Amino acid sequence: MAQDVLVVGELAGGAITSTTAELLNAAKSLAEGGAVAVTLLGSGASGAAAGAFAAGAGKAFTSDDAAYDDVRADQWAAAVDNAIGQQNPGVVLFAQSPVGRDVAPRIAFRRNTAAAMDCVSVAMDGGAFKATRPCYGGNAQAVYSFTTAPAVATVRAKSFDAAEPAAGASGETVDLGAAPASNIEIVGMEAAVSAGLKMEEAPIVIAGGRGLGDADSFREIEALADAFGADKATTGASRAAVDLGWYPPAKQVGLTGKVVTPDLYVAVAISGASQHMAGCSGSKMIVAINRDKEANIFKSAKYGIVGDWKAVVPALIEAVKAAK
Amino acid sequence: MHFVVCAKQIPDPETPPSAFRVNEQTNEVIPAQGIAPVLSQFDAIAAEAALRLKEAGSDVKITVVSLGKESAAAAIKQVLAMGADEGLLLDDDAFQGSDWNGTVKILSAAIQKLGNVDAVFCGRQAADWDMGQTGVGIAETLGWPASIIAKDVKLDGDKLVVQRVLPDGFQTVKTPLPSVVTVSNELGEPRYPKLAQIMQAAKKTVTKWSAADLGIDASSVGAAGARLKLERLFIPQSGGNVIIIEGETPQEQAQNLVKALQADKVL
């Protein structure tokens, strides 16, 4: 049964984000012939609409108001709700991002319906919208259907592929106008210091855990990343290591940190608690280095080395350098 | 000022994956033998945030609220032992099987009935379902702002100043009261109650309210009012086919791993 699907888009540098493109592609199959619409909010939004049309949207609700550049949930919710009122979609998709976390529940409760957060899959199943999401720290997965519309879901990055951009695609643009007043004042932003590649984009992530023993040992993790190449590899950490203050929170991989999907994820001295695996299980290949051969991480790894990281990592640095 | 801390009793998230079981007929988690349920860690951290403000010299009363059967009283007791002043248990057969829509309705009704609440502190998500929408849902229902995923919370007159954890750094926001805050593990370890505090907590008042006390229509909450239907709960299968790289020495292991990575063309 055809239904309209609304994607809440996000912008980076005047263009739609890769996750927005993924959601638009997912929306096309969910719509089953219905319309795919997108909201684009903030500086350059109307200019970014062409990219959204090429990625699968047929209609864009836009506002170029720079007030939307910093995300304030009350303003964003008002704009998205306005678009929902005009389009009457059966499904509303957000990215599982600061926007999705803050705005999706507001939309669900404002419309007296429901949201499924942090989904890894959304699909139509016999005419019913179903959302699949990890729960219990990644130990289990739950599949939900909705008894009310619109169904609201936030979807993890890279859960879907983006479509090849359709050349010459066009669509209808609807202006949402200026942002309403907000009662949220943004006082400041302290950017995380991040040298090199973004963890979510790096082809190789070398992550360290509590088993490293101290903060200084992360220098060895960094040296291993450097051996793979600063243009290919970056570092990450488990929540246990971050909570101990050994590595910055922005580097945390896991349920409450970042979700990474590199070609190669090397887990050093990480036991592989489910909440950690929730952040890296989408990696194409996991290599585990751990002293405990029973460690959970080996269950998800393709290759494992059972041994003391203090001996293995320096040897691996040399072997990787020699192979290049 | 009056703060509310929302607390939930959940199966211990530190349960080893090998002891984690679900009943795929009933879509329920089977409680692990000998592992007691615990207060969701993020809720303990939310309580910690509220208690730090109380200790910073603000004249604050803290009420801890939990939705659940009598077993939820343990979550309330723990937050009382940490230093909260009063407990409130929301218990009614009609509440059983509530989804987030129902949960938020019940909690919001309780916060309204308490009256004059200045701030609500929730964990960023409960560590059982990991949904992370109850705090924002309460804010939306009550028409309040919410600051989510906080690592630091301060009072500035009649405003709340919250440092939030974002993927690319820390953002500081200021919202008027009343307001909702959801708190993340970056705030720091929650305090561990001393024995004397646990004894004291037993003497603190815990009120119990039902659906009728809250003026909630029983059919709008519980399984009857649920908007989300759990169709399936299952344990995803992981590969389990790890290839252990052998070698006489770490150097040999490392070289053999590099050879395997080269064969797979990731190096």
Side-chain angles (χ1 to χ4, degrees):
Chain A
M1 197 182 71
Q3 61 181 349
D4 291 0
V5 178
L6 179 71
V7 171
V8 177
E10 296 184 41
L11 303 172
I16 60 168
T17 62
S18 54
T19 310
T20 300
E22 292 157 20
L23 295 182
L24 286 169
N25 199 26
K28 261 192 298 191
S29 56
L30 295 173
E32 298 192 322
V36 173
V38 64
T39 61
L40 298 170
L41 304 172
S43 304
S46 52
F53 298 144
K59 189 195 263 187
F61 293 93
T62 64
S63 170
D64 287 333
D65 191 340
Y68 288 118
D69 293 356
D70 286 319
V71 178
R72 295 173 189 81
D74 49 359
Q75 292 178 324
W76 273 65
V80 172
D81 196 60
N82 180 350
I84 291 171
Q86 296 187 46
Q87 191 71 28
N88 197 24
V91 175
V92 181
L93 297 181
F94 290 79
Q96 173 72 2
S97 63
V99 170
R101 286 188 166 114
D102 223 348
V103 182
R106 284 202 179 264
I107 294 300
F109 286 94
R110 194 165 298 184
R111 295 259 160 195
N112 205 9
T113 170
M117 309 291 290
D118 199 15
C119 300
V120 291
S121 170
V122 286
M124 296 304 291
D125 178 9
F129 176 76
K130 293 204 178 142
T132 304
R133 55 181 304 280
C135 54
Y136 285 89
N139 275 321
Q141 290 202 353
V143 182
Y144 290 99
S145 63
F146 293 69
T147 62
T148 46
V152 180
T154 69
V155 180
R156 247 183 225 183
K158 296 189 184 166
S159 298
F160 292 90
D161 292 325
E164 275 300 312
S170 65
E172 182 192 349
T173 302
V174 179
D175 187 14
L176 288 176
S182 174
N183 59 5
I184 302 160
E185 185 190 341
I186 297 173
V187 185
M189 176 75 192
E190 180 191 324
V193 184
S194 63
L197 289 173
K198 281 179 81 170
M199 212 165 36
E200 303 93 310
E201 290 163 9
I204 300 174
V205 175
I206 317 287
R210 179 161 33 193
L212 289 179
D214 57 33
D216 283 344
S217 297
F218 270 92
R219 302 295 88 77
E220 282 293 302
I221 299 300
E222 288 161 0
L224 181 53
D226 284 343
F228 278 102
D231 58 332
K232 281 206 190 85
T234 188
T235 54
S238 72
R239 179 176 148 192
V242 169
D243 282 352
L244 285 161
W246 296 351
Y247 225 49
K251 284 288 196 179
Q252 186 192 321
V253 175
L255 188 68
T256 58
K258 292 197 165 96
V259 176
V260 298
T261 52
D263 298 331
L264 173 63
Y265 187 82
V266 182
V268 182
I270 290 175
S271 66
S274 296
Q275 58 86 6
H276 181 76
M277 301 318 297
C280 66
S281 59
S283 305
K284 292 207 179 69
M285 181 192 292
I286 294 176
V287 170
I289 298 169
N290 205 293
R291 213 162 40 178
D292 174 11
K293 69 178 187 341
E294 302 298 327
N296 196 53
I297 188 78
F298 287 121
K299 291 208 181 88
S300 306
K302 175 161 187 193
Y303 299 116
I305 291 182
V306 180
D308 185 353
W309 73 269
K310 282 184 180 156
V312 174
V313 169
L316 190 54
I317 291 169
E318 292 314 313
V320 170
K321 280 182 183 163
K324 290 180 84 173
Chain B
M1 288 209 183
H2 188 186
F3 293 167
V4 163
V5 173
C6 297
K8 187 179 185 187
Q9 189 82 344
I10 61 163
D12 191 341
E14 300 297 321
T15 303
S18 56
F20 183 85
R21 299 263 185 285
V22 302
N23 181 334
E24 295 200 12
Q25 266 66 54
T26 60
N27 288 335
E28 287 172 325
V29 172
I30 301 167
Q33 285 291 320
I35 302 177
V38 296
L39 170 66
S40 179
Q41 179 77 354
F42 297 117
D43 296 349
I45 297 168
E48 177 66 33
L51 287 163
R52 286 183 192 176
L53 289 183
K54 186 181 168 98
E55 286 160 358
S58 314
D59 181 18
V60 172
K61 173 180 148 183
I62 298 176
T63 302
V64 50
V65 179
S66 190
L67 166 62
K69 290 179 274 196
E70 281 297 334
S71 61
I76 291 176
K77 281 276 182 290
Q78 185 172 340
V79 179
L80 290 175
M82 287 174 73
D85 301 288
E86 286 180 16
L88 175 58
L89 177 64
L90 309 174
D91 182 17
D92 196 305
D93 287 345
F95 297 162
Q96 294 304 311
S98 286
D99 68 349
W100 287 269
N101 193 286
T103 299
V104 164
K105 256 187 203 135
I106 297 161
L107 289 170
S108 301
I111 290 159
Q112 270 174 322
K113 187 176 160 83
L114 281 170
N116 298 318
V117 172
D118 296 288
V120 173
F121 292 77
C122 300
R124 58 175 288 166
Q125 65 205 56
D128 51 357
W129 292 102
D130 294 320
M131 192 65 106
Q133 64 170 315
T134 300
V136 176
I138 291 169
E140 175 66 24
T141 304
L142 298 175
W144 298 359
S147 305
I148 65 168
I149 315 189
K151 79 178 282 269
D152 187 59
V153 186
K154 288 199 167 60
L155 269 171
D156 179 9
D158 58 354
K159 295 206 166 172
L160 215 49
V161 180
V162 179
Q163 196 177 27
R164 300 179 53 209
V165 182
L166 293 183
D168 50 356
F170 305 115
Q171 180 193 56
T172 306
V173 296
K174 201 184 244 193
T175 63
L177 297 174
S179 193
V180 172
V181 186
T182 80
V183 185
S184 188
N185 45 292
E186 285 85 355
L187 185 110
E189 287 288 312
R191 66 198 60 197
Y192 198 78
K194 296 189 180 73
L195 185 61
Q197 291 175 300
I198 296 169
M199 309 279 279
Q200 245 177 350
K203 293 183 201 133
K204 290 180 181 172
T205 312
V206 180
T207 309
K208 197 166 131 179
W209 284 346
S210 66
D213 291 325
L214 295 172
I216 287 178
D217 171 14
S219 69
S220 72
V221 293
R227 266 80 175 144
L228 278 182
K229 187 161 171 255
L230 181 59
E231 299 277 351
R232 191 172 164 227
L233 183 68
F234 64 100
I235 296 175
Q237 296 304 315
S238 53
N241 297 318
V242 64
I243 299 164
I244 296 295
I245 304 285
E246 305 291 351
E248 292 295 316
T249 62
Q251 285 70 27
E252 209 177 300
Q253 285 177 311
Q255 281 154 12
N256 288 340
L257 175 59
V258 165
K259 276 180 208 154
L261 295 179
Q262 283 174 320
D264 285 343
K265 302 204 166 28
V266 291
L267 192 68

